[in-house]
């Protein structure tokens, strides 16, 4: 029923399940960590925190009950690559988690699956059962004494903010999904107060590829600060939407050519929380040091109304704000009001400046990433599309 | 609620705590199971859950009010959630929304008087390349058009008998 639309061949297809784990278990945990560090892998959820550093901090954090959590709360508008990975390459994700457990010394893992993906659960449970039968999970994994690890699946319940790692942990603990103040970070005070690593679905899958194919293979691709390959979820006004694997550092123009989106007037990179790149800047690169993304690429054709885009994103944030801190809770509706004024053609330049300064305040003063990112799309649309949004003849 | 009905609900909840545990971290799985089998998280059930987990009922209520998939109002047997995020919006989710309202005779946020359908919005369902997308309970529909709405609703109506029996057994 679900049409998978992956384009080209993915590296994940060429990895034999079990291969990454076996090569890890042959050597001490520090060896695997060293190889991940050498690969330069950074978090594929979008924030880009170095994976090896996160794991190293969790190793050093004292505690008996460490946890490995897979963040499968893929809620960023325009992102669907984790759904494809979980459908087609669940083995790699669970294997990456098992490697994570071996490296940091964890006994339990949790996949936090978003409520919208509940239809994937039975498939994932089947894969878990098979892995237990193959001794890739459970007690004495691959005959190794003292290495016990198992994974359970827990469901989200329709809250975008739970993709933020501390909100995710709150939700697992049976609380409202409100982000915590950081520090302390989950690597020392995570699930039930234990050291916890929270990584994206895709990050775990790449860990397996790196250990199977070597760090050198991975870091020879991409840019110096953003190594390796990345899955992109492409949607919007292009002839070939779907999931693609591209090297990090690809320019927006190159990407558009691959997906049949030439002639676009703008591209939203990084989802609602990302930024809107106008045609004049299509030579910019998609990488952590330039335009970062968790994989979401939404193409806007020449006829799209950019104010409608800004309005849609802001409505999204207004709906998903947890309401805990004032800049996010109160700021987003104010920006929506501003967009409505612009749509009616009743907004002075002075007021636009006020709105932008409110947006900057939200970026600085909001407690978590959601509020800090909420004004991004609005600010970049106001910056790049003034000729389109000013002086409209409203209805 | 009839006393016998209350007792049945209580014993179901006790069974759920046996399965998921009585720690605070069991709260979400219990609420999700309750919602799935009874379509309703009532005040009474929140009180019972609070007693079983030894927490204040307001704690349960505050969790229920936070998550959009947990509702304290009775829900229809089929909860329809249409994606309203940008890619689906650009692919014509607005027209699908209008036709859903027309065919069901209710607006977004409402439940049909026969208790079968609840109509609501969802934020990004992760089907952006195949929009407009729509979730009916746990089943995903992609590339939905206004013409397809009627047949999807009919499909739900015709499976309703089976659906209801299965759920009674589960309860």
């Amino acid at each position: 029923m679900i049409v998978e639309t992956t384009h080209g061949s993915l590296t994940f297809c060429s990895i034999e399940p079990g291969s990454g784990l076996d090569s890890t278990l042959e050597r001490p945990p520090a060896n695997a960590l060293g190889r991940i560090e050498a690969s330069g892998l950074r978090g594929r959820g979008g924030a880009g925190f170095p994976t090896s550093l996160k794991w190293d901090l969790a190793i050093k954090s004292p505690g008996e009950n460490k946890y490995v959590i897979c963040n499968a709360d893929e809620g960023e508008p325009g992102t669907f690559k984790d759904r494809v990975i979980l459908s087609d390459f669940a083995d790699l994700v669970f294997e990456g988690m098992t490697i994570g457990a071996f490296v940091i010394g964890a006994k339990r893992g949790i996949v936090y699956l978003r409520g919208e993906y509940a239809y994937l659960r039975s498939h994932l449970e089947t894969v878990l059962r098979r892995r237990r039968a193959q001794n890739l999970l459970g007690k004495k994994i691959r005959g190794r004494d003292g290495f016990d690890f198992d994974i359970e699946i827990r469901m989200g319940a329709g809250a975008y903010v739970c993709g933020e790692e501390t909100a995710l942990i709150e939700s697992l603990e049976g609380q409202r999904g409100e982000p915590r103040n950081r520090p302390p970070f989950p690597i020392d005070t995570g699930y039930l107060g234990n050291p916890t690593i929270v990584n994206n679905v895709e990050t775990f899958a790449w860990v397996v590829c790196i250990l199977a194919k070597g760090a050198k293979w991975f870091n020879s691709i991409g840019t110096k600060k953003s190594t390796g390959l990345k899955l992109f979820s492409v949607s919007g006004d292009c002839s070939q939407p779907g999931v693609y694997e591209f090297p990090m550092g690809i320019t927006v123009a190159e990407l558009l050519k691959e997906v049949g989106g030439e002639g676009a007037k703008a591209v939203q990179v990084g989802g609602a929380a990302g930024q809107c790149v106008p045609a004049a800047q299509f030579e910019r690169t998609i990488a952590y040091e330039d335009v970062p993304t968790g994989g979401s690429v939404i193409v806007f054709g020449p006829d799209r109304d950019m104010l409608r885009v800004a309005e849609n994103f802001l409505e999204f944030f207004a709906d998903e704000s947890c309401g805990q801190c004032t800049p996010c809770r109160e700021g987003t509706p104010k920006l929506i009001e501003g967009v409505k004024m612009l749509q009616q053609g009743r907004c002075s330049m002075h007021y636009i400046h006020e709105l932008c300064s409110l947006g900057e305040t939200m970026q600085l003063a909001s407690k978590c990433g959601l509020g800090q990112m909420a004004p991004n799309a609005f600010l970049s649309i106001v910056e790049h599309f003034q000729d389109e949004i000013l002086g409209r003849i409203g209805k | 609620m009839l006393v016998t009905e209350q007792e049945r609900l209580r014993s179901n909840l006790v069974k759920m705590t046996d399965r998921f545990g009585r720690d605070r971290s069991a709260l979400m799985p219990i609420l999700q199971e309750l919602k799935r089998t009874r379509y309703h998280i009532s005040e009474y059930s929140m009180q019972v859950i609070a007693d079983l987990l030894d927490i204040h009922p307001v704690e349960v209520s505050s969790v229920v009010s936070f998550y959009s998939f947990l509702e304290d109002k009775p829900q229809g047997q089929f909860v329809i959630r249409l994606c309203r995020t940008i890619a689906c919006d650009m692919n014509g989710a607005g027209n699908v929304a209008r036709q859903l309202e027309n065919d069901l005779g209710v607006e977004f946020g409402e439940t049909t008087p026969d208790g079968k359908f609840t109509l609501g919005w969802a934020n990004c369902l992760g089907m952006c390349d195949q929009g407009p997308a729509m979730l009916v309970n746990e089943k995903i529909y992609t590339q939905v058009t206004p013409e397809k709405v009627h047949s999807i609703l009919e499909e739900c109506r015709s499976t309703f008998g089976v659906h209801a029996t299965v759920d009674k057994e589960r309860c």
Side-chain angles (χ1 to χ4, degrees), chain A residues 79-108:
Chain A
T79 317
F80 46 91
K81 45 105 188 158
D82 290 347
R83 168 176 60 77
V84 173
I85 299 172
L86 291 168
S87 310
D88 298 348
F89 308 105
D91 263 304
L92 294 186
V93 179
F94 296 144
E95 190 153 323
M97 291 176 73
T98 313
I99 292 168
F102 179 69
V103 171
I104 73 163
K107 296 226 171 337
R108 287 184 60 195

Side-chain angles (χ1 to χ4, degrees), chain A residues 186-219:
Chain A
I187 44 98
D188 51 47
T189 312
Y191 182 55
L192 303 174
N194 299 301
T196 304
I197 51 168
V198 184
N199 285 106
N200 177 258
V201 171
E202 193 187 339
T203 310
F204 283 119
W206 283 118
V207 162
V208 182
C209 298
I210 289 164
L211 294 175
K213 292 173 78 105
K216 217 171 196 156
W217 158 77
F218 195 78
N219 70 19

Side-chain angles (χ1 to χ4, degrees), chain B residues 109-153:
Chain B
E110 293 178 351
T111 301
T112 54
D114 60 4
K116 277 188 186 156
F117 295 99
T118 297
L119 182 58
W121 292 110
N123 289 323
C124 194
L125 292 175
M127 283 291 170
C128 318
D129 57 335
Q130 302 163 51
M134 187 167 102
L135 208 53
V136 181
N137 291 349
E138 293 184 356
K139 191 171 175 185
I140 187 93
Y141 291 87
T142 57
Q143 288 166 341
V144 182
T145 58
E147 300 96 283
K148 283 188 194 163
V149 165
H150 178 73
S151 64
I152 294 172
L153 296 180

Side-chain angles (χ1 to χ4, degrees), chain A residues 3 5 83 114 158 319-320, chain B residues 25 68 84 123-124 126 129-130:
Chain A
V3 203
T5 38
R83 168 176 60 77
R114 70 189 298 229
D319 194 47
E320 293 292 352
Chain B
S25 59
S68 61
R84 64 174 156 195
N123 289 323
C124 194
D129 57 335
Q130 302 163 51

Side-chain angles (χ1 to χ4, degrees), chain B residues 19-75:
Chain B
R19 187 171 145 202
F20 296 114
R22 295 199 177 194
D23 299 331
R24 176 73 192 245
S25 59
L27 180 58
M28 290 274 287
I30 291 171
L31 290 170
Q32 284 162 338
E33 184 66 6
L34 179 65
K35 159 86 194 321
R36 199 170 64 86
T37 50
R38 311 272 307 204
Y39 319 117
H40 184 198
I41 301 173
S42 62
E43 280 190 6
Y44 174 75
S45 54
M46 287 194 247
Q47 177 67 60
V48 175
I49 293 169
D51 292 345
L52 290 168
L53 300 188
D54 198 18
I55 52 180
H56 198 282
V58 82
E59 295 271 335
V60 181
S61 165
S62 95
V63 167
V64 170
S65 70
F66 184 85
Y67 295 94
S68 61
F69 280 24
L70 304 173
E71 283 267 0
D72 55 1
K73 285 196 288 284
Q75 300 281 289

Side-chain angles (χ1 to χ4, degrees), chain A residues 214-236:
Chain A
K216 217 171 196 156
W217 158 77
F218 195 78
N219 70 19
S220 65
I221 309 168
T223 70
K224 207 170 171 197
K225 285 185 178 162
S226 312
T227 55
L229 296 154
K230 165 102 192 75
L231 293 199
F232 290 84
S233 320
V234 182
S235 62

